[in-house]
Amino acid sequence: MKRIAMAAAFAAFILPASAQPRGGVVAVQETEATVTVIKVDRQTRVVTFRSPSGGEAKLQVPPEAQNLDRVSPGQQYRIRYVEAVAVSVRKGGGKPSATTDEQVALAPKGSKPGGRIVRTQQVAGVVDAIDYTNRYLAVRGPKGRVAALKVADDVPLGEFSAGDRIWVTYTEALAIEMAEKPTKK
């Protein structure tokens, strides 16, 4: 719970006021790691990273990013990823639909590459399943895609059941900063 509270404080800092939920509870999970760039495709603006555990992930760099020319294989970046569900979960809603708001704040041209991206989605969907023990809702949204969304402790999950139509606001944030080069001993 302490980690969630600390992550909530981080989310309040990283998420601009317009992306923070109004009148809802927020369940937050934060992940932080130092990753290594293994490939940069400047044409498609995709950077491939290797995590400390050896897994690979790709990041689509927004067109607004001005320092992609300074990113190269072998560089290390600290990545903080905050995933949140604004649990103003409420019954109702029509057909599954989604609206998205994205806010980007990037390092100025010529500085160390980095920045943050905050994406908030409002989704009308159908509850596919509920994990009461781990507090997750599986919500089927537009195009039939299912998202597993973490739910805060004070949301009465017992009021929802599979098949319910609901509205959920889902926010995720990614903050990236270039890591300092490790000092050689």
Side-chain angles (χ1 to χ4, degrees):
M1 191 63 168
K2 187 175 183 181
R3 184 166 171 81
I4 288 178
M6 289 182 352
F10 173 70
F13 172 73
I14 193 172
L15 301 178
S18 61
Q20 294 179 25
R22 291 183 176 84
V25 178
V26 180
V28 179
Q29 183 171 347
E30 176 185 356
T31 303
E32 184 171 344
T34 299
V35 298
T36 304
V37 175
I38 57 174
K39 183 178 177 186
V40 180
D41 185 332
R42 296 188 200 297
Q43 294 288 117
T44 61
R45 302 186 63 83
V46 173
V47 177
T48 305
F49 293 99
R50 178 169 293 120
S51 72
S53 64
E56 292 183 11
K58 293 183 179 191
L59 174 68
Q60 179 70 50
V61 179
E64 300 89 356
Q66 302 177 56
N67 293 312
L68 183 60
D69 59 329
R70 299 186 68 196
V71 178
S72 58
Q75 290 179 320
Q76 292 189 323
Y77 287 83
R78 273 188 294 279
I79 292 183
R80 289 179 294 182
Y81 175 71
V82 176
E83 180 177 34
V85 178
V87 220
S88 52
V89 178
R90 66 184 196 276
K91 289 186 180 182
K95 295 187 330 188
S97 64
T99 59
T100 302
D101 176 46
E102 186 171 274
Q103 297 181 6
V104 179
L106 301 165
K109 180 73 174 160
S111 66
K112 283 186 186 178
R116 74 171 188 250
I117 300 170
V118 179
R119 184 175 297 125
T120 302
Q121 291 187 323
Q122 284 196 332
V123 178
V126 177
V127 176
D128 263 9
I130 302 173
D131 178 345
Y132 294 98
T133 305
N134 297 307
R135 304 200 53 79
Y136 276 88
L137 281 176
V139 179
R140 183 172 305 278
K143 301 179 185 172
R145 292 178 44 193
V146 176
L149 304 174
K150 181 77 173 162
V151 179
D153 292 338
D154 53 352
V155 171
L157 276 181
E159 293 180 7
F160 300 97
S161 57
D164 284 348
R165 293 190 179 279
I166 62 170
W167 282 95
V168 169
T169 301
Y170 176 80
T171 301
E172 59 186 345
L174 175 67
I176 300 174
E177 63 179 321
M178 182 180 265
E180 296 299 323
K181 292 188 179 198
T183 56
K184 294 184 179 181
K185 294 182 179 180

